[in-house]
Structures are given as structure tokens and as C-alpha cells.
């Protein structure tokens, strides 16, 4: 019996020692600090939880803010805030213009009110820290295109054609009324300088066939290519092939269409010489009033497209000629040409259009069909690299009411902006300039 009593006493002693060893306590924290802030996910307010906030520590009142990362139209009038603290606070509360709320983790608050303050008291009641909370929502629709008219007229309007290209940091507008050539330059599309009449270009120059590689302008006619670095003085270069038209600058090469009697081949021009590419279009190919655009395809290949225009026989075309480069293409130095409209014939016959690559889409402006019907201010877009085209949402993406329907305008993308210059309708020549941008381009995500 005594044996068992000693065992019981020993166990009880061990229990007491264990209890004494675990009886240490932690001193209350003196830290009052917010380390993170966010909004809880709410099904009726999609995107709210994705807002990213920065917590700035300051000597007096800290600041919690987001860099305009909440989508346009998102409600923040009944949001549930989430807080992360450096140490468990003794208390924390939100002060608003009309109320004070002790936070519980489940509070629904109106963050449209200003100012809003979060105050934290440390566990030991020795420290107070206050943060101002600013939740900012985009005030403009990110999917809306906004347009500004930069100038009403670059030059006195007459029966003329124009082409705008870039040389260095300047826009250059080449103008021809059939009798006289003239050049104008502008750094921003607003103020323009008259450069006078260019010298060295042939009579009958079609200014809409002038192209630029960014520093030099090119024009081709017959067995001559003309170049200029300032738009006013042009130099002649004799070439062995008959140049039908200049096509575009693409993949670091100047491209021209050469041949005659509809037996054409694409050629590149460099060092005062033309080099045949081996690309020979097998159908009708445009020789005037076409649009050219280039882009990097989803398949990681360099592509360009020649769209619409007039064939040599005068027929308006619905063609979309696709040019492609890849080191995996075995023939013609890695280049290939294909006519998309064979498989997608629903594309209208169009001339005098402009096409740009913008925000991952191709956008098409202006032009007329084969019955000389103007497309109006509606914009067409393609999300599949020119295969199919749809009309853009006219509530989001349309030209302003002051922009009259026209053809033969010029369109250029510079940085994040779209510039549209001049054009013609049946009785009027325009030399105005518009600048547009998709609101969300360049926004912080």
C-alpha cells in the first residue's frame, strides 16, 4: 500500500512542477502599427478585392492609399476592410465624418466618405497611431476612346492629297494638288511649319505612296527610287527593276512592288539597290490607295498586311495580303505571302482606308467601297490579325461628331496615342488633325 502511495505522490509532484514551469507570462506589446490593408471579396463588387494598397509610415498620421487601381464603376460604398497589424492591438477603430466604428473584421463601411481615419492603440495602452485611408476609383471608363482635335487645318484646303509620315521626332505632311508639291512639319500635330516645295521629285508624284523608315523617306516610280532625310531635298537612285509602288517599311526593310503587266514581285531596297524577294503574288495585288500595317503575331512571328486598294486594272479590291517572316520558313529567306480574302471573302472592297496596330487589335478608319460609299465615322476592328473584321462598339470607340466621313486620311500611332490627319470626301479636302487614346492605356494595374 505504501508503495502505491509513493507513486501517487511522485506523479502529483511532477504535475505541480510542470504547472509552475508553464506559468510564465508575456508583457503586453507597445507596438501600434498597420502593415497591410485590403478589401474583402464581395460578389456584387467584382474587382474590389484586387485593389492594391500601400501603407506609408509617417511621423504623424500615416497614409493608406491605392494608385488608381480600382476599376471604373466599382462600388466602394459598402466595402468590408481587412487589416494586418504588426502586433495584436489593444483596440482599433475607424473614424468617419459621421460615425466612429470599433473594428471587428466584419464591418461594412462607406469608403466614398472623406476623410477616413484608422486609429490603433497598443496592448499596453502606451502608443496610439493614426492612418488616413484613401480608396480611389478610376473616374473615367477604361474602355472609352477619347479624342481631341489638335488643329482645324494644317494648310488651306484645296483639291489635294496628303500623306503623313514620321522623320525623327517630327510628323511630316506631304501634299500634292496635281500641280504643286508642298511639305509641312510638326513635332506634336498641333503647330505646323511650312517647309516649302520639295525639289527632286518627279512630276505627277503620288504622295500617298511615300513611305518612311523613321529617318528617311522613300518614293518609287519607274526605274528610279527617290529618297530624302528632310522631306524637301530628294535624291534619285537608278534601279534595275520597274517600281510600281512603295509598300511599307517592315522587319527593318524597305519594301517595294516591282514588275509590270500584273506580273509582280516584292523587293527590298538598301544601299541604292533593289533585291528581289521571291514573293510573287498569284492574284490581284493593289498598286494604289491600299493600307499597310505590321505587327507581332500571337505565334511570335513578324507579320505585315496589305489591305484593299486598287488593282492595276482599276478594280477596287477586298484583298488582305499577309506577309510573314520566320526563321523556320525554308523558302525566300524566311518570308511568305498569303492572300487571306480567299478564305474570308466577306470583307468589303475598300480603298482609301487607314489601318493601325493598337492595343492588341487592328483598327481600320475611313475609306470607301467599290460604289464610292463612305464608311462614315464607324471604326472596324480585328482581333485575329486581320482574318475577320467587326464594327467597334459605337458607345466606346467612335470618332467625334466633328469628324466628317472621309477617305485617304493618314493614321499613325505614336507612343500611346492615335493620330489621324486630313483626308477627302466627295467635295471637300480636310487638313485637320485628331489625337485619340484608349483611356486604360498606360494605367497602373
Amino acid at each position: 500500500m505504501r508503495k502505491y502511495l509513493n507513486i501517487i505522490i511522485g506523479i502529483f509532484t511532477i504535475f505541480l512542477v510542470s504547472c509552475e514551469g508553464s506559468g510564465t507570462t508575456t508583457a503586453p506589446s507597445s507596438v501600434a502599427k498597420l502593415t497591410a490593408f485590403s478589401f474583402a471579396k464581395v460578389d456584387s463588387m467584382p474587382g474590389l478585392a484586387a485593389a492594391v494598397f500601400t501603407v506609408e509610415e509617417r511621423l504623424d498620421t500615416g497614409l493608406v492609399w491605392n494608385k488608381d487601381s480600382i476599376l471604373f464603376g466599382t462600388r466602394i460604398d459598402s466595402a468590408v476592410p481587412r487589416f494586418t497589424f504588426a502586433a495584436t492591438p489593444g483596440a482599433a477603430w475607424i473614424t468617419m465624418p459621421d460615425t466612429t466604428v470599433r473594428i471587428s473584421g466584419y464591418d461594412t463601411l462607406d469608403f466614398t466618405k472623406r476623410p477616413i481615419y484608422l486609429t490603433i492603440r497598443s496592448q499596453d495602452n502606451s502608443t496610439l497611431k493614426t492612418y488616413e485611408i484613401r480608396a480611389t476609383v478610376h473616374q473615367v471608363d477604361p474602355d472609352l476612346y477619347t479624342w481631341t482635335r489638335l488643329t482645324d487645318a494644317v494648310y488651306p484646303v484645296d483639291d489635294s492629297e496628303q500623306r503623313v509620315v514620321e522623320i525623327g521626332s517630327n510628323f511630316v505632311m506631304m501634299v500634292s494638288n496635281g500641280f504643286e508639291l508642298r511639305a509641312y512639319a510638326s513635332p506634336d500635330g498641333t503647330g505646323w511649319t511650312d517647309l516649302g516645295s520639295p525639289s527632286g521629285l518627279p512630276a505627277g508624284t503620288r504622295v500617298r505612296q511615300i513611305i518612311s523608315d523613321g529617318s528617311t523617306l522613300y518614293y518609287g516610280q519607274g526605274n528610279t527610287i527617290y529618297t530624302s532625310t528632310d522631306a524637301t531635298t530628294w535624291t534619285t537612285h537608278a534601279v534595275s527593276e520597274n517600281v510600281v509602288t512603295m509598300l511599307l517599311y517592315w522587319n527593318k526593310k524597305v519594301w517595294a512592288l516591282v514588275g509590270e503587266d500584273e506580273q509582280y514581285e516584292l523587293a527590298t531596297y538598301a544601299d541604292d539597290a533593289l533585291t528581289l524577294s521571291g514573293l510573287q503574288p498569284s492574284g490581284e495585288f493593289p498598286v494604289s490607295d491600299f493600307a499597310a500595317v505590321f505587327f507581332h503575331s500571337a505565334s511570335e512571328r513578324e507579320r505585315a498586311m496589305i489591305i484593299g486598294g486598287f488593282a492595276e486594272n482599276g478594280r477596287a479590291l477586298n484583298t488582305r495580303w499577309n506577309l510573314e517572316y520566320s526563321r523556320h520558313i525554308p523558302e525566300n529567306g524566311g518570308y511568305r505571302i498569303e492572300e487571306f480574302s480567299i478564305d474570308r471573302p466577306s470583307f468589303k472592297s475598300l480603298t482609301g482606308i487607314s489601318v493601325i496596330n493598337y492595343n492588341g487589335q487592328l483598327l481600320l478608319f475611313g475609306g470607301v467601297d467599290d460604289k464610292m460609299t463612305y464608311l462614315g465615322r464607324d471604326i472596324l476592328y480585328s482581333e485575329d490579325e486581320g482574318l475577320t473584321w467587326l464594327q467597334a462598339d459605337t458607345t466606346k470607340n467612335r470618332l467625334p461628331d466633328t469628324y466628317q466621313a472621309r477617305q485617304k486620311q493618314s493614321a499613325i500611332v505614336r507612343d500611346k496615342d492615335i493620330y489621324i490627319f486630313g483626308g477627302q470626301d466627295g467635295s471637300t479636302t480636310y487638313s485637320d488633325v485628331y489625337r485619340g487614346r484608349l483611356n486604360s492605356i498606360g494605367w497602373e494595374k
Side-chain angles (χ1 to χ4, degrees):
M1 182 72 178
R2 184 179 181 85
K3 175 182 178 182
Y4 291 111
L5 181 60
N6 290 336
I7 294 173
I8 292 172
I9 292 172
I11 294 173
F12 184 65
T13 302
I14 294 172
F15 175 74
L16 288 176
V17 171
S18 299
C19 289
E20 288 177 0
S22 64
T24 58
T25 59
T26 302
S29 172
S30 62
V31 175
K33 183 178 180 181
L34 180 71
T35 58
F37 176 85
S38 62
F39 285 131
K41 182 178 180 180
V42 179
D43 291 340
S44 62
M45 293 180 280
L48 187 59
V52 177
F53 286 84
T54 298
V55 178
E56 283 189 13
E57 290 294 336
R58 299 183 176 184
L59 292 177
D60 47 9
T61 301
L63 180 63
V64 180
W65 62 284
N66 66 302
K67 194 173 182 179
D68 219 7
S69 59
I70 301 177
L71 295 178
F72 170 80
T74 301
R75 290 173 46 218
I76 58 172
D77 58 350
S78 54
V80 179
R82 293 284 186 259
F83 307 92
T84 302
F85 302 103
T88 303
W93 58 92
I94 293 285
T95 303
M96 310 179 78
D98 55 359
T99 187
T100 298
V101 179
R102 186 162 180 149
I103 65 172
S104 66
Y106 303 97
D107 310 289
T108 299
L109 303 175
D110 184 356
F111 281 85
T112 64
K113 297 178 179 180
R114 296 286 179 90
I116 298 176
Y117 295 102
L118 166 70
T119 302
I120 308 166
R121 187 177 67 222
S122 64
Q123 287 179 347
D124 66 358
N125 297 325
S126 67
T127 308
L128 282 178
K129 179 66 178 180
T130 299
Y131 296 84
E132 182 181 358
I133 300 175
R134 299 176 187 171
T136 306
V137 179
H138 278 307
Q139 296 304 301
V140 292
D141 187 343
D143 299 322
L144 181 69
Y145 284 74
T146 55
W147 291 91
T148 303
R149 183 161 58 184
L150 300 180
T151 184
D152 292 337
V154 175
Y155 60 91
V157 294
D158 52 15
D159 187 17
S160 61
E161 289 188 343
Q162 56 76 26
R163 176 68 179 268
V164 177
V165 290
E166 290 184 281
I167 300 180
S169 60
N170 281 330
F171 294 117
V172 173
M173 180 178 288
M174 302 293 298
V175 180
S176 172
N177 61 10
F179 303 99
E180 181 186 15
L181 294 171
R182 207 150 193 95
Y184 302 84
S186 172
D188 56 9
T190 302
W192 292 78
T193 300
D194 186 347
L195 302 179
S197 297
S199 62
L201 283 170
T205 293
R206 300 292 303 274
V207 293
R208 291 191 55 75
Q209 296 179 13
I210 294 173
I211 65 173
S212 173
D213 65 5
S215 60
T216 302
L217 303 185
Y218 301 85
Y219 177 74
Q221 183 174 304
N223 293 103
T224 305
I225 285 182
Y226 304 81
T227 64
S228 176
T229 58
D230 61 7
T232 58
T233 302
W234 290 75
T235 303
T236 61
H237 309 268
V239 291
S240 57
E241 305 291 335
N242 178 61
V243 179
V244 179
T245 186
M246 305 303 293
L247 293 173
L248 78 165
Y249 177 72
W250 166 61
N251 205 25
K252 300 181 181 179
K253 296 178 183 292
V254 174
W255 292 81
L257 185 69
V258 302
E260 51 190 336
D261 298 327
E262 298 186 355
Q263 300 299 310
Y264 302 133
E265 185 169 343
L266 274 63
T268 59
Y269 177 75
D271 300 325
D272 299 338
L274 282 168
T275 301
L276 296 177
S277 68
L279 303 177
Q280 298 174 324
S282 58
E284 287 183 306
F285 199 87
V287 298
S288 65
D289 288 330
F290 53 83
V293 64
F294 58 88
F295 50 93
H296 196 65
S297 75
S299 59
E300 300 300 320
R301 295 186 175 188
E302 298 297 332
R303 283 188 171 175
M305 187 167 284
I306 310 295
I307 305 172
F310 286 109
E312 189 176 37
N313 60 15
R315 193 169 82 89
L317 301 175
N318 72 340
T319 52
R320 282 149 292 157
W321 289 94
N322 177 71
L323 305 176
E324 183 177 64
Y325 171 77
S326 170
R327 59 187 180 85
H328 300 296
I329 297 175
E331 67 274 8
N332 301 321
Y335 290 95
R336 177 184 298 158
I337 189 166
E338 182 182 7
E339 216 272 82
F340 278 180
S341 55
I342 294 174
D343 298 323
R344 307 291 178 107
S346 59
F347 190 75
K348 287 184 177 182
S349 297
L350 293 174
T351 60
I353 60 174
S354 296
V355 180
I356 61 170
N357 175 24
Y358 188 75
N359 192 40
Q361 298 178 332
L362 302 184
L363 299 181
L364 185 155
F365 302 94
V368 293
D369 62 18
D370 54 356
K371 298 180 177 59
M372 288 298 294
T373 301
Y374 286 81
L375 296 187
R377 293 196 306 272
D378 294 339
I379 299 170
L380 301 183
Y381 74 95
S382 174
E383 293 184 322
D384 57 8
E385 300 174 1
L387 276 175
T388 55
W389 295 79
L390 300 170
Q391 181 175 306
D393 179 357
T394 55
T395 64
K396 304 279 190 179
N397 186 7
R398 62 170 298 176
L399 290 160
D401 291 340
T402 55
Y403 187 91
Q404 295 85 358
R406 63 190 71 176
Q407 63 163 328
K408 298 184 179 181
Q409 64 285 302
S410 296
I412 290 176
V413 177
R414 173 186 282 188
D415 297 328
K416 300 176 178 68
D417 294 320
I418 304 167
Y419 292 81
I420 300 181
F421 309 84
Q424 297 177 336
D425 66 17
S427 58
T428 305
T429 297
Y430 303 98
S431 66
D432 49 6
V433 181
Y434 285 81
R435 182 181 63 209
R437 174 187 284 218
L438 175 64
N439 279 337
S440 63
I441 293 290
W443 280 5
E444 295 289 339
K445 301 300 183 184

